[in-house]
Amino acid sequence: MTSLKSLWLHENMLSGVLPSSIGNCTKLEELYLLNNQLSGSIPESLSKIEGLKVFDATANSFTGEISFSFENCKLEIFILSFNNIKGEIPSWLGNCRSLQQLGFVNNSLSGKIPNFIGLSSNLTYLLLSQNSLTGLIPPEIGNCRLLQWLELDANQLEGTVPEEFANLRNLSKLFLFENHLMGLFPESIWSIQTLESVLLYRNKFTGRLPSVLAELKSLKNITLFDNFFTGVIPQELGVNSPLVQIDFTNNSFVGGIPPNICSGKALRILDLGFNHLNGSIPSSVLDCPSLERLILRDNNLSGSIM
């Protein structure tokens, strides 16, 4: 089928290897293989399909390294999440200036996140979580100003979060949890008005939460447990945001619980245990109709529970 442009095989029970003869389909633009049981290495002959725009092989059992490459890359969507791919992120991806979605979630990738990611100025999704990536987060990611979804969690990344992330003014989801990140979390990131979910737990972040955090009108989930955040929780938190989950367990927050933290009436999880909070429990918490989990243990709270 040498004239084939689109091949959609996803969500079946196809097994075995992807045949090397796929490279004969040189006019192919879309190749969807996701949610099958394909295995073995992805054939190097894929390199012959120079006009390929979409390659999605999510949720198979592909193994080995990415041996194919595109010199004049036309890829817009390249997703290999939930496979057993190993090796480093291939350098030829630096040629993919049209790339919009890049996903390698839950593989065995190693090495560093390459700086050339920042050349993909059209990138909206960058999903690299659950691998074995090491080193620093490249500040060049801040050049991807259309980025909406950034997942770097569950790797072995170290160092600080680049200040350049504040340039990501369309960012909705920021997942950095379960790494070895440390230092001050840039306050400027908290001013990104599109933020919905910020998951930073199990790192070594320090610093205070700025009052501008309380102005985010789309924020639903902020999970910061097992870090070293300090200072007072912004007292207007919960007034403007449709918060569903707040988990600040095991930090060093002081002061009182924000009085209107459940004013959005959507809060399901409030976990502020193992901090240094004082004062009484606000009535907005005790009257919160949506609350499913409330953990305030190991603080210095006082007063009555009405």
Side-chain angles (χ1 to χ4, degrees), residues 93-99 114-123 140-141 143-144:
L93 279 172
N95 301 325
C96 301
R97 304 298 174 85
S98 300
L99 201 60
N115 297 346
F116 61 68
I117 293 289
L119 298 175
S120 301
S121 58
N122 294 314
L123 207 60
E140 287 83 358
I141 291 177
N143 296 331
C144 304

Side-chain angles (χ1 to χ4, degrees), residues 109-184:
L109 293 177
S110 57
K112 297 180 179 181
I113 300 174
N115 297 346
F116 61 68
I117 293 289
L119 298 175
S120 301
S121 58
N122 294 314
L123 207 60
T124 57
Y125 286 15
L126 178 58
L127 313 179
L128 304 178
S129 58
Q130 299 175 56
N131 282 283
S132 297
L133 297 170
T134 57
L136 306 178
I137 299 175
E140 287 83 358
I141 291 177
N143 296 331
C144 304
R145 301 195 177 208
L146 300 180
L147 206 59
Q148 299 173 22
W149 199 319
L150 179 57
E151 287 190 12
L152 305 179
D153 54 275
N155 281 287
Q156 299 170 30
L157 301 172
E158 57 189 18
T160 58
V161 176
E163 292 277 355
E164 288 81 357
F165 275 20
N167 297 327
L168 306 177
R169 309 311 294 181
N170 295 290
L171 197 62
S172 170
K173 292 178 172 57
L174 177 59
F175 296 175
L176 301 177
F177 59 87
E178 293 181 352
N179 278 290
H180 306 301
L181 300 169
M182 59 187 296
L184 290 170

Side-chain angles (χ1 to χ4, degrees), residues 190 198 200-201 209 213 219 221-234 237 243 245-254 256-258 261 269-277 293 295 297 299:
W190 296 116
V198 182
L200 307 179
Y201 59 87
L209 298 182
L213 173 62
L219 191 62
N221 184 346
I222 176 168
T223 303
L224 309 179
F225 66 82
D226 290 349
N227 277 287
F228 299 103
F229 285 107
T230 58
V232 176
I233 299 172
L237 188 65
L243 282 163
Q245 178 166 332
I246 302 171
D247 192 340
F248 292 173
T249 309
N250 197 22
N251 280 278
S252 296
F253 289 112
V254 297
I257 299 172
I261 201 165
I269 295 172
L270 178 60
D271 194 341
L272 304 176
F274 295 96
N275 281 282
H276 307 296
L277 300 174
R293 189 176 83 196
I295 300 178
R297 61 167 298 181
N299 279 287

Side-chain angles (χ1 to χ4, degrees), residues 41-52:
S41 298
I42 299 172
E44 191 174 347
S45 62
L46 218 64
S47 304
K48 296 192 289 185
I49 312 176
E50 293 185 352
L52 194 64

Side-chain angles (χ1 to χ4, degrees), residues 56-67:
D56 191 342
T58 303
N60 281 281
S61 297
F62 286 116
T63 57
E65 298 186 12
I66 300 172
S67 58

